[in-house]
Amino acid sequence: MAEKKNILTYEGLRHLEEELQDLKVNRRKQVAQKIKEAREQGDLSENAEYDAAKDEQRDIEARIEEIDKILKNAEVVVEDEVDVDAINIGCMVRILDMEFDDILEYKIVGSMEANSLKGKISNESPVGRALIGAKLGQVIDVETQSGMIQYKVLEIQKTN
């Protein structure tokens, strides 16, 4: 079975590459130094610093492996080429919550980059899935846990 493609924007790709570089170059050296210092303290069987450093090393290696897998299956959305006639991954959208008369702004991203606190919603989320393909002025229905919500598309634009 083919692995699912990880859809990323260039910003998301750059962020993961920078994190990977930091983990490989800086964090590995830091944790190796912590392990060395903990070993110099003697008995490793009761050495909490050694155990903590080994746990940190395991976490770093797991994250490196995770990022490598993400990048191996990455599909990068070229945001400059995004068609703004309809909402797609890489678009910034302004929508009106018709029930609460509230304007919301989101960037539609792949699930790897989603961060609702930063206004980035996944194309796989209920709202993101409903928005994909919607056109300017269109009203869409989104099925949520609390019921049906209607949004009107006010603006679609490319991100910078």
Side-chain angles (χ1 to χ4, degrees):
M1 184 174 118
E3 285 192 52
K4 180 182 131 188
K5 285 286 182 193
N6 299 310
I7 299 173
L8 296 170
T9 60
Y10 273 121
E11 177 187 358
L13 177 69
R14 192 178 68 249
H15 176 75
L16 282 173
E17 288 174 337
E18 288 170 1
E19 181 182 355
L20 184 62
Q21 181 71 10
D22 181 55
L23 288 169
K24 286 182 172 180
V25 174
N26 301 321
R27 299 286 306 281
R28 273 183 173 163
K29 285 180 185 173
Q30 291 168 353
V31 80
Q33 183 62 32
K34 288 180 185 178
I35 291 170
K36 180 181 178 227
E37 290 170 4
R39 276 193 178 133
E40 290 170 355
Q41 294 175 12
D43 185 10
L44 298 181
S45 64
E46 296 181 17
N47 188 326
E49 287 87 8
Y50 178 78
D51 291 340
K54 289 301 278 184
D55 287 345
E56 185 179 353
Q57 183 182 44
R58 212 172 1 267
D59 293 345
I60 289 169
E61 294 306 320
R63 181 63 179 152
I64 288 171
E65 187 177 329
E66 180 183 14
I67 293 172
D68 278 337
K69 278 184 182 175
I70 292 168
L71 294 176
K72 187 176 121 202
N73 292 306
E75 183 175 309
V76 179
V77 174
V78 181
E79 294 168 88
D80 290 344
E81 297 174 7
V82 169
D83 181 6
V84 292
D85 291 337
I87 296 172
N88 208 328
I89 296 170
C91 287
M92 285 293 296
V93 296
R94 289 181 66 225
I95 55 176
L96 173 67
D97 180 328
M98 297 182 72
E99 181 180 351
F100 296 105
D101 197 34
D102 193 18
I103 294 177
L104 307 167
E105 290 188 20
Y106 294 119
K107 179 176 182 179
I108 310 297
V109 296
S111 61
M112 303 303 307
E113 291 178 73
N115 183 337
S116 59
L117 297 176
K118 293 184 178 179
K120 296 179 179 183
I121 61 170
S122 167
N123 64 313
E124 297 174 12
S125 69
V127 174
R129 199 170 30 250
L131 285 171
I132 294 291
K135 298 185 182 309
L136 193 62
Q138 185 175 341
V139 175
I140 60 158
D141 296 322
V142 179
E143 181 73 42
T144 68
Q145 294 172 336
S146 58
M148 193 65 76
I149 299 176
Q150 286 192 318
Y151 294 109
K152 181 175 184 177
V153 179
L154 301 178
E155 187 177 349
I156 305 169
Q157 60 187 31
K158 294 180 182 182
T159 57
N160 301 354

